[in-house]
Amino acid sequence: MSTAKRFLAALDGKPGTGDKIGMKKPRRRKKSAHYTVPLLLLAGVILLLILGVDESTAPMDDTYIHLVYGRSLFTSAPLCFNGAEPSSGFTSPLWLLPSALASLAGTALAPTVLMILSLLAAGSALLILPPFTGILLLMTGPFFFHASSGMETALSCLAVVAVWRCVRDGTGVKVSSFILMGAFLVRPELAVLAIPLVLSMKERTPGNILRLMAPSLIIGLLWMLWNIHTIGLPLPSTFYAKQPVSWLTSAGAGLPGLLKGLLVTSPLLLFAAAVSITELLRSKGKKRPEVSMALVPLLLFALSLCVQPNSFFQMRYYVPALTAAVLATGHWLGGLRRRRLNVFILAVSMLPGLYIFAGRRVDASYDVYSIDVRPAQYLSSVASPAQTVAAADIGAVKWITDMEILDLDGLVTAERLPGSSKEGWQWISDRSDYLLAFPGQYSGLLAEAGDSLEFLIGFRSDRNVICGSDSVALWRIN
């Protein structure tokens, strides 16, 4: 047997319950095949670390925000970013738990620990999938990018896989209700997955629907009350802080940038997903599980398009939808006679996207280190933790310096949220000792500040893939 055939044979997984309709009983395979794909993920991430290993290896920028909130859970002021002032600048309550665990490793090691926990979440998602579906997910560039990002993205993919299996297998209401609650706590927009779960119920009675929704409704109400308590609005401040602009223009951002990113990931994957969704919707008798499974990727793509928080269309917000597209594709491939060949063709078509996003992963770490970590380290050497810095990217600054933060974007400073009541420069200067900001992005604020700023130092990045700007500067406020 050739090497290629052995590789395909190792990935020839057992189809799911929904895949077995009308098919012959699959051959037995070794349990070790289940571990093939997660081990490939581990090997790939280790290779990236070896290629880019130095002090610039850093997680994504928002990782530090969750670390700060996670660390607060061990203090007398939980969920407070600054002192004892409550705030709602986090998007994933469930990710606060591993963030809190990672924070115990200390300032220097905690980001690495959280990246490892992110990798474990991604590996778990691959482990519970049939290997031939897992290899397609592993080859999806944005998934690989975020597998060790230290953010909640990999955990959200695991939540999507868990909900998909509940829909496919007709899992009982009790188990499904807590999986739905977990998905909601990973990322609030994943609550939309309640729709396919309800439609796939064997006994869709008002009582069962209420049992399914109850845990999510209760925890959602508590979260909403917390948000109202902190900023006076029902959703986390992250949904209001980034003011959207037109996404129909700009080649690097907006809709053109999104389409480019999706096509780079794999045009064949999108085509295969579209075919598989169509086949599910056309299933004989419109069976509830099949129709519900088709809704999972459709709803996630539609929701991501509607609620992504800014105009840059960061691919992180589409990774759960891409995961659902892979699941639908794997389900469709499970019913084909030449599954191995089709998986191989799809996997090969995804190699360019995997290569590009793997490179971006290394560049993103360097970018975050250059624009977020290094400025925070320098600020820590010249300022006192008792002082206040007005900053744009606040996570690394707070984590490293432990200074009071005045957030220019409003994540933890409600007075700076977009709107008619947004406070200006005079309000900022009265409360801050330093200003750390992107000169281009905040040119208007700098013009308003005038001579009240004393330039200290600037930092640059030649790999602008994550922070939105290639330079940041630090000023002392006179």
Side-chain angles (χ1 to χ4, degrees):
M1 183 184 291
S2 67
T3 303
K5 288 183 178 179
R6 289 193 187 98
F7 176 72
L8 291 173
L11 299 176
D12 185 20
K14 177 182 176 181
T17 303
D19 298 316
K20 291 189 290 187
I21 299 174
M23 293 179 58
K24 294 180 179 179
K25 186 176 180 180
R27 294 171 297 173
R28 286 189 177 183
R29 58 182 178 80
K30 295 181 179 180
K31 291 184 179 180
S32 60
H34 258 313
Y35 301 98
T36 303
V37 183
L39 288 175
L40 286 174
L41 172 64
L42 179 62
V45 172
I46 291 175
L47 178 62
L48 283 184
L49 292 177
I50 293 174
L51 292 175
V53 64
D54 56 25
E55 60 181 353
S56 69
T57 303
M60 299 302 97
D61 50 348
D62 288 352
T63 299
Y64 293 98
I65 294 179
H66 279 98
L67 279 173
V68 173
Y69 279 109
R71 181 172 59 186
S72 75
L73 298 181
F74 296 112
T75 70
S76 58
L79 301 184
C80 295
F81 198 87
N82 284 320
E85 181 182 354
S87 62
S88 62
F90 53 92
T91 55
S92 180
L94 192 59
W95 193 239
L96 294 181
L97 299 181
S99 299
L101 178 64
S103 71
L104 297 176
T107 302
L109 289 178
T112 301
V113 173
L114 198 53
M115 285 194 289
I116 293 174
L117 294 176
S118 180
L119 180 62
L120 288 176
S124 299
L126 296 173
L127 187 62
I128 63 178
L129 288 174
F132 73 93
T133 303
I135 192 63
L136 294 179
L137 183 57
L138 175 61
M139 298 292 288
T140 306
F143 174 83
F144 185 79
F145 181 106
H146 283 285
S148 62
S149 68
M151 292 163 44
E152 79 284 356
T153 311
L155 189 61
S156 68
C157 294
L158 177 58
V160 170
V161 172
V163 171
W164 171 274
R165 292 196 60 169
C166 287
V167 171
R168 186 198 68 186
D169 299 340
T171 306
V173 174
K174 184 176 181 180
V175 174
S176 298
S177 66
F178 285 100
I179 290 178
L180 177 63
M181 182 186 70
F184 169 70
L185 288 176
V186 172
R187 192 174 286 175
E189 56 265 33
L190 293 184
V192 73
L193 295 178
I195 297 174
L197 280 172
V198 168
L199 292 178
S200 65
M201 281 183 173
K202 295 179 181 178
E203 297 182 10
R204 201 188 313 159
T205 63
N208 281 339
I209 294 175
L210 181 60
R211 288 172 57 202
L212 174 70
M213 303 289 290
S216 299
L217 290 174
I218 293 172
I219 203 71
L221 177 62
L222 294 175
W223 193 6
M224 184 180 70
L225 292 175
W226 174 260
N227 296 329
I228 292 174
H229 170 64
T230 56
I231 61 173
L233 297 168
L235 297 176
S237 58
T238 51
F239 282 82
Y240 310 101
K242 301 291 186 179
Q243 199 163 19
V245 297
S246 175
W247 43 264
L248 291 176
T249 58
S250 175
L255 190 57
L258 169 66
L259 294 176
K260 178 182 177 182
L262 292 176
L263 289 175
V264 164
T265 298
S266 172
L268 289 184
L269 172 64
L270 296 180
F271 171 76
V275 172
S276 62
I277 291 171
T278 302
E279 290 298 316
L280 286 169
L281 292 174
R282 293 172 55 188
S283 60
K284 294 181 180 180
K286 290 287 190 301
K287 297 178 181 178
R288 288 182 183 179
E290 281 75 7
V291 174
S292 301
M293 289 157 64
L295 285 178
V296 174
L298 290 176
L299 288 172
L300 289 178
F301 270 114
L303 191 67
S304 300
L305 187 65
C306 293
V307 306
Q308 62 83 37
N310 58 42
S311 62
F312 298 110
F313 274 101
Q314 300 173 53
M315 287 300 294
R316 59 179 279 201
Y317 298 102
Y318 291 86
V319 181
L322 284 169
T323 299
V326 170
L327 295 175
T329 300
H331 182 88
W332 173 57
L333 291 175
L336 299 182
R337 298 180 63 180
R338 297 185 176 180
R339 181 178 63 208
R340 298 181 190 178
L341 177 62
N342 284 282
V343 169
F344 181 76
I345 293 173
L346 268 176
V348 170
S349 74
M350 298 167 78
L351 278 173
L354 181 65
Y355 174 80
I356 291 173
F357 278 95
R360 287 182 182 176
R361 178 65 182 89
V362 175
D363 291 343
S365 286
Y366 179 86
D367 192 28
V368 171
Y369 176 76
S370 301
I371 298 297
D372 286 346
V373 176
R374 285 185 61 219
Q377 291 173 340
Y378 177 84
L379 184 60
S380 180
S381 68
V382 299
S384 164
Q387 292 181 299
T388 299
V389 55
D393 280 359
I394 61 174
V397 178
K398 179 64 178 181
W399 176 253
I400 294 172
T401 69
D402 204 26
M403 296 175 65
E404 190 83 3
I405 302 292
L406 192 155
D407 182 16
L408 296 177
D409 291 334
L411 286 175
V412 297
T413 307
E415 293 83 356
R416 286 288 298 175
L417 286 173
S420 57
S421 60
K422 183 177 181 179
E423 297 289 354
W425 172 251
Q426 187 60 52
W427 186 87
I428 295 172
S429 63
D430 289 343
R431 293 162 174 78
S432 307
D433 302 290
Y434 294 90
L435 173 66
L436 181 64
F438 305 117
Q441 185 177 347
Y442 292 92
S443 57
L445 191 66
L446 297 178
E448 189 180 348
D451 297 333
S452 61
L453 293 176
E454 175 190 349
F455 177 79
L456 296 180
I457 191 173
F459 299 87
R460 296 192 63 85
S461 170
D462 57 0
R463 309 181 194 181
N464 179 26
V465 297
I466 196 70
C467 293
S469 184
D470 61 359
S471 64
V472 69
L474 178 67
W475 293 268
R476 180 183 287 111
I477 300 176
N478 295 326

